[in-house]
Amino acid sequence: MEIDVFTLFPKWFEWFEAQRHVRNAIEAGTRLRYVDFRAHTPLSGGQVDDTPFGGGAGMVLRVDVMDAALRAHYGMDATEARNHRRVIALTPGGRELDERYVSELAQEPAITLLCGRYEGFDERIVEHYAGETLSIGRYVLAGGELAAMVVCDAVLRKLPGALGHESSAAEESFSETLGGAPEYPHYTRPAEYRGWSVPEVLLSGHHERIREWRAEQSARRRDGD
Ligand code: ADE
């Protein structure tokens, strides 16, 4: 899989890439690339954003800057890129990220994440260059970078080889195996701590009973009791 992130702050992702599961995914063949708007801006002084027409606070990422970055990186008209890969603008009001959306993205051979800054994007970017908008939740971040990392993190751990155990992602919260419910509780040693003991069934070695208990716990969490 190939993920391209268009950003004003490619350096932020150095920390992200240093994480073990991200390194594993890269070693297993995932390609993560960063495109810096400032490296492609046609404006002087590295300008990439501007004040909004009609007034108001903050700055908006310019459409001509996005155009130049997409054209330079993909070697085609910027409106064409979305015909070749999923081009996603990260905005607080977009389609909310959930497990289904993550699984959908993990099936793609190539995606592009566009990070806005300050007040976001000139709307023509969303209309003409992106095929969709994605939100990691109904709150406003200072930019799309953290949202891009959330998307990458959630998608990469779905790819083979990113986690130590292939089964870990299959049976985690919201997975199909658990019928879309949150995961059951986990415990590890010590079996007793300050008088708090681990549920007896987990120590029983009785796999069928353990499976039943986990399914029941998972369903209870889903139903909110
Ligand atoms: N950019 C700013 N806030 C965001 C959010 N909540 N989700 C995605 N992108 C964003």
Side-chain angles (χ1 to χ4, degrees):
M1 176 174 200
E2 183 179 88
I3 307 179
D4 290 345
V5 182
F6 284 62
T7 170
L8 273 173
F9 301 103
K11 279 203 165 298
W12 288 26
F13 293 84
E14 286 172 11
W15 166 83
F16 178 69
E17 281 212 7
Q19 307 311 307
R20 159 66 63 199
H21 65 292
V22 180
R23 286 213 314 271
N24 286 348
I26 292 170
E27 277 159 27
T30 300
R31 195 144 73 121
L32 272 169
R33 298 187 297 185
Y34 306 96
V35 180
D36 185 347
F37 292 122
R38 280 192 219 286
H40 299 287
T41 178
L43 307 172
S44 59
Q47 187 188 350
V48 292
D49 50 16
D50 227 319
T51 51
F53 282 131
M59 300 293 273
V60 177
L61 196 81
R62 287 176 55 132
V63 64
D64 48 356
V65 170
M66 182 66 82
D67 191 300
L70 284 166
R71 190 157 26 89
H73 189 64
Y74 295 119
M76 61 180 76
D77 188 279
T79 59
E80 284 289 313
R82 65 182 180 187
N83 300 330
H84 298 273
R85 51 199 295 130
R86 266 170 101 152
V87 179
I88 304 168
L90 299 167
T91 62
R95 173 178 167 194
E96 251 183 306
L97 191 67
D98 59 10
E99 194 63 14
R100 203 169 70 157
Y101 200 173
V102 171
S103 300
E104 218 179 283
L105 295 178
Q107 307 289 322
E108 294 288 332
I111 65 174
T112 297
L113 302 173
L114 307 178
C115 302
R117 257 282 106 176
Y118 316 114
E119 292 304 298
F121 304 100
D122 183 301
E123 191 60 22
R124 290 166 291 185
I125 292 173
V126 175
E127 280 170 22
H128 302 289
Y129 304 144
E132 65 201 87
T133 54
L134 181 157
S135 168
I136 63 161
R138 296 286 183 251
Y139 41 83
V140 182
L141 302 166
E145 282 74 17
L146 290 174
M149 285 184 221
V150 168
V151 174
C152 290
D153 191 282
V155 168
L156 293 182
R157 59 198 303 290
K158 294 255 177 230
L159 303 180
L163 301 179
H165 280 284
E166 286 311 313
S167 58
S168 313
E171 215 182 87
E172 67 188 2
S173 291
F174 318 116
S175 61
E176 268 174 42
T177 320
L178 294 181
E183 203 174 9
Y184 44 78
H186 295 287
Y187 297 89
T188 186
R189 280 176 281 276
E192 172 113 10
Y193 186 68
R194 296 180 58 181
W196 306 320
S197 45
V198 166
E200 180 52 41
V201 60
L202 297 178
L203 309 174
S204 69
H206 195 302
H207 298 297
E208 187 53 28
R209 275 180 51 214
I210 292 172
R211 206 188 50 72
E212 278 168 20
W213 181 85
R214 285 178 166 168
E216 193 185 291
Q217 293 292 316
S218 174
R220 277 177 62 178
R221 285 185 165 183
R222 179 195 53 214
D223 301 337
D225 28 285

